[in-house]
Amino acid sequence: MESVGELGESGVLGRVLARMGEARAAVVGPGDDCAVLRVRGDAVVTTDTMIEGPDFRLAWHDGFELGWKLAATNLSDVAAMGAVPTALTLALAVPHDTPVALLERVAEGLDAACRVLAPGCGVIGGDLGRAPVVTAAVTAIGELEGRAPVLRSGARPGDVVAYAGELGLAGLGLSLLFSEAADADGTAHDRTIAELWARHPEVLAAQLAPAPPIPLGPIAARAGACAMMDVSDSLSIDADRLARASGVRVRLETERLEGAFGAQQGVRVPVDAMLTGGEDHGLLAVFPADVELPVGFAAIGSVHEGDGVRLDAAALEPRGWDPYTVRPPGS
Amino acid sequence: MESVGELGESGVLGRVLARMGEARAAVVGPGDDCAVLRVRGDAVVTTDTMIEGPDFRLAWHDGFELGWKLAATNLSDVAAMGAVPTALTLALAVPHDTPVALLERVAEGLDAACRVLAPGCGVIGGDLGRAPVVTAAVTAIGELEGRAPVLRSGARPGDVVAYAGELGLAGLGLSLLFSEAADADGTAHDRTIAELWARHPEVLAAQLAPAPPIPLGPIAARAGACAMMDVSDSLSIDADRLARASGVRVRLETERLEGAFGAQQGVRVPVDAMLTGGEDHGLLAVFPADVELPVGFAAIGSVHEGDGVRLDAAALEPRGWDPYTVRPPGS
């Protein structure tokens, strides 16, 4: 199989960029010193790096899923500001003997995620370097269309707490992978991956190629959301961050969580998994009580004076999956 | 010395961001899902990764110089579009036992380069991850202030070719380092670095912490530059790229190169070093013949019908430093 080292930087970059559609807002695409991007209103910018080992395992992730997840996790940060994603840049650094085909699959996954989750958004620039392990850095840019950004700090007592997207499924997927596709020391292997995809496609897709509801970010902003963030670490951790940023208490309700998210994609999801599972990248949004929630959002709680996060009447300890230390229940 | 692993991600990111000034165009700085940036006119975007080993050696680069060079190389790409740099994002991934002090030095160097080279520009967002070697990805954003971008493709027969910045000094610095601060197999060491800084500060600074003339990018655009790029690989390679993109022939003149760049910072620079040394990140710009060159640019040649690059009447083979294969003359 042709390697990156054999093809050379510009050859690889050409093959990778050819697999990705244009960004609608691109005035000048890849190939000059910079890309040029049309922006309406203020721009939002976020950056995220995924590194083989700590952040993903090639035994579990195909290149396509890796590219998809890279795009999805950055797009959800843009959506969480109430902005419309317009462009991504992709910096890849890989070992010399990496098959070019792997990078082409990354590009295809990234492109597919843009097309499906954020139509019109595309890759406007890239960079390719050498590294001991596969290293991918994505920067995502979005436009606010003249609106103010929706920050984490805008929640006020009396507001409604809502969530849109999958909740806890990605964490169940990670738990399943550690339980069924890792050796006793936690090292990922691919011996059972095909079988797991056949038996549990929902939770594996949620973990390996999450599909957050990107268009609901600007829709929530237009509807009047006063605080918003994407849930990357876990609902309990990120609700705590929102509560701190806003100087309020967030109260989540078991009954509402069970009612809205107890069954997702035909999978039974326990409330504990909703509270502690990370990486779903759905939108945690806060709306004034008189706002009708946009379709796609479910009310899961309310905002009060005080601090921290409660589940019903009880204090809730922020807790999430840590892929380095957590072993799934029963293992 | 406190390590990244001991302090943890948010602690490290807090310490790193605290060392960097705010971007003037930042509406919302680091800490939310995205930063928010005010943009006048279209935005330009570029991304670049530097990885320990292929791209820099910690034996030669202090963290400060590494941060400086990361900023400078991205800022020059923004300037080369005729744009004003407004913001950087910094994604760092490092081994668990990396001293926090190294990352603080990287932040200080990045901040210093912004303050000196592009006042008002600053870091608006960061990400920290784990990697087997120090890996840094910077994305730079700039604004065109309502102007069209200056591309590589705008050179026309009759135009004047000009250059601003240092030319060949950075390559001489790399040559010196390979000759005096590397073992026979090319492995960098730091045994002679202090002495080299004392003896040859100009070429070491040019290589390790280059200071390209960033404000001259927008100045050239306002003056009417019709093509521009930064010289990163070498003048002969990048002039060839500009000639190809524009569908013209570029003719450089020995006498003009010697007159303008034969002595820089008190260092005698041979024409061959100007043509083949890379990493100066100065601006290669093309102006219509009737435009008065902005102060800081020197005419070094002219544009003609045809293709490729000539030095006076002779064809010039594009050639540059390759840090993997090149050994300095005489070694």
Side-chain angles (χ1 to χ4, degrees), chain B residues 153-225:
Chain B
S153 52
R156 296 291 170 262
D159 289 345
V160 172
V161 177
Y163 185 83
E166 294 174 342
L167 185 58
L169 276 189
L172 291 179
L174 187 64
S175 171
L176 181 72
L177 286 163
F178 269 115
S179 153
E180 310 266 328
D183 297 326
D185 66 353
T187 306
H189 64 70
D190 62 4
R191 300 190 295 275
T192 52
I193 285 291
E195 184 209 326
L196 290 178
W197 270 108
R199 276 170 40 211
H200 302 288
E202 319 80 3
V203 299
L204 254 65
Q207 166 57 223
L208 299 175
I214 308 300
L216 288 182
I219 285 172
R222 283 181 216 119

Side-chain angles (χ1 to χ4, degrees), chain B residues 263-286:
Chain B
Q264 297 168 59
Q265 315 258 13
V267 178
R268 174 92 192 83
V269 182
V271 169
D272 189 59
M274 300 178 204
L275 294 169
T276 61
E279 301 191 274
D280 284 310
H281 297 283
L283 295 171
L284 177 66
V286 176

Side-chain angles (χ1 to χ4, degrees), chain A residues 37-38 42-43 49 51 127 139, chain B residues 37-38 42-43 45 49 93 127 139:
Chain A
L37 192 66
R38 190 132 296 164
D42 291 341
T49 309
I51 291 164
D127 179 51
T139 297
Chain B
L37 192 67
R38 190 131 296 163
D42 291 341
V45 186
T49 309
D127 179 51
T139 297

Side-chain angles (χ1 to χ4, degrees), chain B residues 80-149:
Chain B
M81 305 298 284
V84 177
T86 53
L88 306 178
T89 66
L90 172 64
L92 281 170
V94 300
H96 200 253
D97 59 357
T98 303
V100 177
L102 174 69
L103 303 193
E104 290 176 327
R105 291 292 288 159
V106 170
E108 286 166 4
L110 218 129
D111 185 60
C114 286
R115 284 175 195 276
V116 171
L117 303 177
C121 183
V123 172
I124 53 164
D127 179 51
L128 186 71
R130 280 170 56 176
V133 297
V134 176
T135 304
V138 163
T139 297
I141 299 173
E143 60 183 18
L144 284 163
E145 303 177 315
R147 290 186 301 277

Side-chain angles (χ1 to χ4, degrees), chain A residues 216-283:
Chain A
L216 287 183
I219 285 172
R222 282 181 217 120
C226 48
M228 188 155 53
M229 65 186 296
D230 89 315
V231 171
S232 52
D233 289 341
S234 80
L235 179 58
S236 59
I237 289 175
D238 289 324
D240 186 63
R241 288 180 179 141
L242 188 143
R244 282 171 198 270
S246 296
V248 297
R249 169 172 295 169
V250 166
R251 178 184 162 134
L252 304 173
E253 292 174 35
T254 303
E255 201 175 315
R256 287 184 178 276
L257 286 168
E258 272 180 342
F261 300 102
Q264 297 168 58
Q265 315 257 14
V267 177
R268 175 95 192 81
V269 182
V271 169
D272 189 60
M274 300 178 204
L275 294 170
T276 62
E279 301 192 274
D280 284 309
H281 298 283
L283 295 170

